[in-house]
Structures are given as structure tokens and as C-alpha cells.
Amino acid sequence: MANKNTSPLMAYTIYPGLKPEIKRKVIKAVAIAPGIGVNTDEVARLAAKAFGVSIDEMLSRSRLHANVCARRAYIALVIEFFGFTLTMTGSLVDRDHASIIHNKKKHSDWMETYTEYAEAYTNARNMCKSVNLYEPDLYKKDGDDIH
């Protein structure tokens, strides 16, 4: 059982070597996925880009198909990369935990049955994994890799 005092949300300032322009850029959450160097802001930007919508459209209450697809992918990526609770994930998209549970089920279904969604999601996931918000080699030891 996780310690209730421990939160996966970590302030940018505790990450040594983080690029200064990233420290100033925030959409909602101030978190960075440990081990891959991407934050929730970049995940939102890349998910929206992969599905051809704006971040505002993706995070809106709109039920237009493209917006739903982007939002569903964003939620799935946040859960995968950050391991947030259902409530924490819901707070990023202004939804409750039950909506996040529904999203997780639909995401799994769509990955198996909806080819266009699966391709766009995989594209967004790969783009997220290629992001590096850290200064190159600033805090890297020999043989260590930040990613």
C-alpha cells in the first residue's frame, strides 16, 4: 500500500537539469514522468497533435469524435506514464473517477477494434517517449541514462 503522504505529482524545481523554459510552461499539472523526461503538459500537446485537435478542444466537455479520441488517448497516456490515481487523472480533464474507469475500458476496446485510433495513439505514445525535457548530459553519470 502506498504511503498517503507520497504523491506522484512532483514540482518541476526538484528535477535537476530541467530546461529553464520547461520550468515556466504549465497547463495544469506540474509533474514529470520519472524515467522518461516528459510532463503532463507535453503529453497533452502531443496527444492533441496526434489527433488533430487543439489542447482546449481536447480538454473541453465536447463530445465531437476527434476530441473524444484525443482526450481518451491523453488519459491513457497519463495513466501509463505517471501512474496517477483515478481521481488525480480525472482532475487533469475535469472528470470524476468513474469517467476515468469508463475511459480505460473504452481505450482497451478501441485499441483492439479501431485501427485509426490505435495508430494515432501509438504515434502520440512514441512522440511522448522521444521528448527530453532535461538539459543534455548535465546530471548524467558515466553509464547512466536519464531515460
Side-chain angles (χ1 to χ4, degrees):
M1 186 169 173
N3 182 352
K4 289 186 179 184
N5 296 328
T6 304
S7 170
L9 287 173
M10 304 224 175
Y12 290 146
T13 56
I14 68 169
Y15 287 88
L18 194 62
K19 294 177 183 173
E21 63 273 14
I22 299 303
K23 290 182 182 179
R24 293 188 296 270
K25 182 179 169 235
V26 177
I27 293 173
K28 279 192 176 188
V30 288
I32 296 179
I36 64 168
V38 67
N39 63 25
T40 55
D41 299 346
E42 284 298 307
V43 173
R45 186 181 67 76
L46 295 171
K49 180 180 177 181
F51 286 90
V53 300
S54 72
I55 293 172
D56 289 338
E57 290 170 332
M58 180 182 73
L59 297 177
S60 72
R61 301 296 259 167
S62 170
R63 292 188 289 177
L64 290 174
H65 186 67
N67 298 341
V68 171
C69 289
R71 189 167 44 245
R72 181 156 289 148
Y74 173 58
I75 291 168
L77 290 166
V78 166
I79 291 170
E80 177 184 350
F81 291 146
F82 299 92
F84 288 175
T85 65
L86 299 172
T87 303
M88 289 170 68
T89 303
S91 71
L92 293 175
V93 290
D94 194 27
R95 304 294 191 280
D96 63 16
H97 73 283
S99 297
I100 304 305
I101 292 170
H102 175 75
N103 187 88
K104 287 174 65 174
K105 290 177 184 176
K106 286 297 185 180
H107 171 73
S108 294
D109 291 345
W110 283 15
M111 287 299 287
E112 294 175 11
T113 60
Y114 186 10
T115 307
E116 293 85 5
Y117 174 82
E119 289 173 358
Y121 172 80
T122 302
N123 184 30
R125 186 175 185 274
N126 290 339
M127 286 190 293
C128 288
K129 286 188 162 197
S130 69
V131 170
N132 182 10
L133 300 178
Y134 291 94
E135 296 286 358
D137 301 322
L138 187 59
Y139 287 89
K140 189 174 173 183
K141 298 176 188 168
D142 289 337
D144 287 349
D145 192 3
I146 292 176
H147 294 285

